[in-house]
Amino acid sequence: MGIVVTKFGGSSLADAGQFRKVRDILLADENRKYVVPSAPGRRDADDAKVTDLLYACHTLAAEGRAHEFEETFSAIRERYLGIVEELGLSPECIATQLEQARFAILSGMGPDYAASRGEFLNGLLLSAYLGWEFIDAAEVIFFDAAGRFDAERTQEVLSARLGRTEYAVIPGFYGSLPNGEIKTFTRGGSDVTGAIVARAAGAELYENWTDVSGFLMADPRIVKRPKRIHVITYRELRELSYMGATVLHEDAIFPVRMAGIPINIRNTNEPENAGTMIVRADESHVRGAITGIAGKKGFTAIAIEKNMMNSELGFGRRVLTALEECGVSFEHMPSGIDTMTVLVSDSAIAGRIDEVVERIRRTCKPDHIEVISGLSLVATVGRGMVRYPGTAARIFGALADSGINIRMIDQGSSEINIIVGVESADFERAVNAIYNAFLK
Ligand code: ASP
């Protein structure tokens, strides 16, 4: 086995007990050479994330609210020193850096600097606990002057640095600008750092450790105890995340996907569970099986009918131009011979529906135009459906058996996804009906 890069999320490093689990996981496999930690997350539902406290400190400092600043910073200090003490480490491993961070935030350093200290301090702590080298992300992860991630420079510097380091901790979430200032990725960005490190290390695997055992085939709030997805391709994941199922920061996919490195989503609290493997391609799937079901509420369909629409040059373009000119982006556009439906999200069309309809009437002169609101989309995703017949029949059969009326059907040309539109009142039942048709 080659190098494994691991990333641990905030809940995996929320207290000393979690740090112990992380160490056990890292030491259980000598190939786990580079670890990317998040900042300490919530220990329970009422707790605060250190990152949020740091953002608050920045705001309080900027507003000159010294007393509240000290109170909030004390909570952060206690959080780290509590972990240090419980793990039997010397406070010296982070004490100076903690006070430096306090001073810098008070002296007017920006919000990115403030927030990045969560990962920075946690990285120092973890490196002391493991006895591994600490590599400050500011020295190896770069952004350009416009604030865009500089993949080339990072790859060059980081891979050279890792080449000289056997075991190391690299804090997640931030890097530096050409002028040396700290810049963070968007929230949840430690996932991105992990992927960048995996690529630079030429890793065989990127393990993303969190508090769930991988992706589930459906939303557990809708389907009772849905099964886990064992293997999913990057493309399938893209389809499912578009429909609202996410565990991973979207930008985290690109560096590893490009390098062909699989991602394994694992659970720090259940390390014996193999989690979900995200891969480029997979031929081992079972005939007729699906990978997952996801869905979203809140769509409106604009259904347009016009005799001979089919042969009218530029008709589709005129419909889409009408939407564009009203500033409305569309989600799907299934069409028939003389019919065409444009699906938009309620939030995109809010307050503009009359204007859109009026424009379509004027520029396209349809025979009939109807607005259907209160729709939901349900996507059934599976790399197996492109090769085997019967998936659509099973979905439609299941919906028919449950008495659910299908208002729209869309199968993208990639054929790994069949999307149906149903009335929102039928949404939960539709997801369950499809799940049961494939899994029971
Ligand atoms: N700590 C950062 C956040 O809360 C980054 C991360 O956890 O990935 O967004």
Side-chain angles (χ1 to χ4, degrees):
M1 181 85 179
I3 294 172
V4 177
V5 168
T6 57
K7 177 259 168 178
F8 288 87
S11 61
S12 299
L13 293 160
D15 60 27
Q18 293 299 85
F19 267 77
R20 290 195 187 97
K21 291 183 194 167
V22 168
R23 186 174 69 169
D24 288 347
I25 290 166
L26 290 172
L27 299 187
D29 181 350
E30 60 180 19
N31 296 309
R32 294 181 175 134
K33 289 179 188 291
Y34 306 118
V35 53
V36 174
S38 278
R42 289 191 184 89
R43 289 159 292 190
D44 53 58
D46 303 323
D47 202 12
K49 281 177 147 195
V50 164
T51 309
D52 293 327
L53 294 177
L54 286 161
Y55 278 121
C57 279
H58 167 262
T59 308
L60 294 168
E63 291 172 358
R65 291 152 69 186
H67 180 69
E68 288 155 275
F69 171 88
E70 293 303 344
E71 250 179 26
T72 311
F73 198 84
S74 290
I76 298 171
R77 188 188 289 114
E78 276 163 32
R79 199 71 200 271
Y80 283 111
L81 293 178
I83 299 175
V84 165
E85 191 186 330
E86 259 197 75
L87 294 178
L89 298 169
S90 155
E92 270 159 38
C93 68
I94 55 162
T96 315
Q97 291 87 344
L98 251 172
E99 296 323 307
Q100 278 169 350
R102 175 185 161 277
F103 183 73
I105 300 169
L106 267 181
S107 317
M109 291 294 270
D112 283 23
Y113 171 84
S116 75
R117 295 306 88 183
E119 271 70 13
F120 174 76
L121 292 163
N122 224 22
L124 284 171
L125 208 170
L126 185 62
S127 100
Y129 185 45
L130 296 168
W132 291 10
E133 191 174 322
F134 175 77
I135 300 179
D136 187 351
E139 294 168 15
V140 289
I141 300 227
F142 303 109
F143 294 86
D144 65 18
R148 284 178 305 240
F149 171 59
D150 185 342
E152 255 171 63
R153 180 158 175 238
T154 300
Q155 172 71 11
E156 198 184 306
V157 174
L158 182 56
S159 58
R161 180 74 180 262
L162 296 177
R164 301 193 296 273
T165 319
E166 205 183 357
Y167 289 93
V169 179
I170 306 107
F173 193 34
Y174 71 94
S176 59
L177 291 161
N179 65 4
E181 265 177 44
I182 296 290
K183 160 115 185 101
T184 61
F185 293 105
T186 51
R187 294 300 303 266
S190 298
D191 282 344
V192 186
T193 308
I196 293 166
V197 172
R199 176 171 173 234
E204 194 164 311
L205 181 65
Y206 170 29
E207 286 179 346
N208 191 299
W209 291 82
T210 166
D211 53 8
V212 291
S213 297
F215 303 127
L216 297 173
M217 291 188 67
D219 185 339
R221 287 166 300 185
I222 300 175
V223 172
K224 224 191 252 165
R225 295 178 57 81
K227 291 213 164 95
R228 176 168 57 91
I229 301 176
H230 296 270
V231 179
I232 185 169
T233 63
Y234 288 118
R235 278 176 63 204
E236 289 175 310
L237 183 63
R238 171 93 185 96
E239 304 275 341
L240 286 175
S241 7
Y242 161 74
M243 294 297 282
T246 42
V247 182
L248 206 62
H249 193 297
E250 284 241 334
D251 295 342
I253 306 285
F254 292 102
V256 278
R257 183 175 182 173
M258 233 163 60
I261 303 167
I263 308 177
N264 192 188
I265 307 290
R266 301 282 296 262
N267 187 349
T268 304
N269 306 316
E270 204 189 2
E272 61 289 350
N273 192 315
T276 298
M277 192 68 103
I278 312 168
V279 298
R280 198 135 64 165
D282 173 62
E283 301 302 325
S284 66
H285 56 265
V286 183
R287 183 183 179 122
I290 58 163
T291 304
I293 306 165
K296 274 206 275 202
K297 287 186 170 173
F299 290 92
T300 296
I302 305 169
I304 306 155
E305 263 181 57
K306 186 174 186 183
N307 198 19
M308 306 299 283
M309 169 196 293
N310 194 24
S311 52
E312 190 178 319
L313 200 65
F315 188 88
R317 180 181 50 76
R318 281 196 293 279
V319 171
L320 295 184
T321 303
L323 283 158
E324 190 179 344
E325 284 173 352
C326 295
V328 177
S329 77
F330 74 99
E331 306 281 329
H332 298 279
M333 196 178 54
S335 59
I337 309 288
D338 283 338
T339 62
M340 182 171 157
T341 304
V342 189
L343 230 97
V344 293
S345 71
D346 290 349
S347 55
I349 195 100
R352 298 186 190 153
I353 192 88
D354 294 340
E355 190 190 342
V356 169
V357 169
E358 184 43 43
R359 254 178 213 266
I360 295 175
R361 276 216 174 95
R362 201 160 12 95
T363 57
C364 307
K365 310 210 166 17
D367 299 332
H368 184 71
I369 177 164
E370 190 187 352
V371 175
I372 308 156
S373 56
L375 294 183
S376 289
L377 297 183
V378 180
T380 307
V381 174
R383 58 194 175 278
M385 57 178 82
V386 62
R387 227 162 306 148
Y388 304 113
T391 312
R394 228 146 131 192
I395 295 171
F396 302 148
L399 294 173
D401 289 347
S402 299
I404 297 167
N405 191 12
I406 302 176
R407 304 297 305 255
M408 184 214 78
I409 300 169
D410 193 11
Q411 179 177 31
S413 51
S414 62
E415 279 191 61
I416 61 166
N417 192 359
I418 295 174
I419 298 176
V420 294
V422 297
E423 265 154 41
S424 290
D426 291 331
F427 176 66
E428 280 84 4
R429 271 192 323 121
V431 174
N432 273 293
I434 298 173
Y435 182 86
N436 291 335
F438 287 92
L439 272 301
K440 292 258 158 91

